[in-house]
Amino acid sequence: LSMDPHSSNNSFTNSFVTNVYEPLVKFNEKLQVEPALAESWTTVSPTVWRFTLRKGVKFHNGEALDSTALKLNLEALRGTLASVYGTHTLGSAVPFTANIKAITVVDALTVVVTTWRAQPDFMDTIYASGRFYMRAPAQIKTAAACKAAPIGTGPFTFVSGTQEETKVAKNPNYWRKDKDGNALPYLNSITFKYISEPAQ
């Protein structure tokens, strides 16, 4: 049983990943790309994109979401880390990221992505239907950690998971607030229960 959203697309994994992980960008109700973990981005040229991360965001294990972590995640998504960390870094994202030529760290919060050719819908690729979640470096670097315990930046942290249920708990250090300035999330925990026969 894999808890890694990039190597497993089963309903068990997909049911809770959006509570544990977050992407760089998201789509609003008008299907427009909005900032998520990426605070902003600019098109330097038709083949060069500059991303700036939000300051102070951390993964659940305390690792910083910085440009080094972002580069590691993008390299894992495009499949270039398989020879270094193992084939567990390969996933469905490899064909989506085939146009990426290079990923360059500029400073602590800035990364430049260069593509082989111009791609007007590149931000759609970065969103990838919400599947390009940012994982903690510690999770990416070993196959066992990648499968065992999701480590993201989301509103909830992973507590436990079986074939029958998954439990997540409130992330006390979550970066987002609601429109009134209240800390998110509102709930202390969530338990996902799986029913083998939906008709029941």
Side-chain angles (χ1 to χ4, degrees), residues 23-103:
L24 287 178
V25 298
K26 61 182 180 178
F27 274 8
N28 61 23
E29 64 278 3
K30 296 180 180 179
L31 298 181
Q32 299 169 324
V33 180
E34 287 187 342
L37 293 177
E39 185 174 62
S40 63
W41 57 89
T42 57
T43 308
V44 180
S45 75
T47 59
V48 179
W49 300 74
R50 185 183 182 96
F51 293 88
T52 301
L53 293 168
R54 295 184 184 277
K55 185 178 181 179
V57 178
K58 292 190 175 183
F59 292 98
H60 299 153
N61 65 349
E63 290 183 281
L65 174 69
D66 56 17
S67 55
T68 302
L70 173 54
K71 177 179 170 63
L72 184 73
N73 270 272
L74 292 178
E75 295 289 11
L77 287 168
R78 63 193 289 243
T80 59
L81 299 180
S83 62
V84 180
Y85 298 123
T87 56
H88 69 278
T89 58
L90 296 173
S92 61
V94 173
F96 284 93
T97 55
N99 193 32
I100 294 179
K101 179 181 180 181
I103 302 162

Side-chain angles (χ1 to χ4, degrees), residues 57-192:
V57 178
K58 292 190 175 183
F59 292 98
H60 299 153
N61 65 349
E63 290 183 281
L65 174 69
D66 56 17
S67 55
T68 302
L70 173 54
K71 177 179 170 63
L72 184 73
N73 270 272
L74 292 178
E75 295 289 11
L77 287 168
R78 63 193 289 243
T80 59
L81 299 180
S83 62
V84 180
Y85 298 123
T87 56
H88 69 278
T89 58
L90 296 173
S92 61
V94 173
F96 284 93
T97 55
N99 193 32
I100 294 179
K101 179 181 180 181
I103 302 162
T104 306
V105 170
V106 176
D107 57 37
L109 296 175
T110 309
V111 167
V112 167
V113 178
T114 305
T115 58
W116 290 101
R117 59 188 179 280
Q119 185 179 344
D121 65 345
F122 184 66
M123 293 309 298
D124 290 348
T125 293
I126 291 298
Y127 177 68
S129 300
R131 291 178 295 179
F132 282 13
Y133 302 110
M134 296 294 104
R135 298 169 289 176
Q139 183 183 357
I140 294 173
K141 290 179 178 180
T142 72
C146 212
K147 294 178 180 179
I151 310 172
T153 61
F156 292 92
T157 63
F158 177 77
V159 176
S160 63
T162 67
Q163 293 283 9
E164 287 74 39
E165 69 176 33
T166 302
K167 295 181 179 180
V168 295
K170 181 177 183 176
N171 174 9
N173 302 310
Y174 190 47
W175 61 273
R176 283 187 60 206
K177 300 183 185 300
D178 66 15
K179 60 183 178 61
D180 297 319
N182 299 309
L184 294 173
Y186 301 124
L187 300 177
N188 289 322
S189 64
I190 303 174
T191 299
F192 298 90

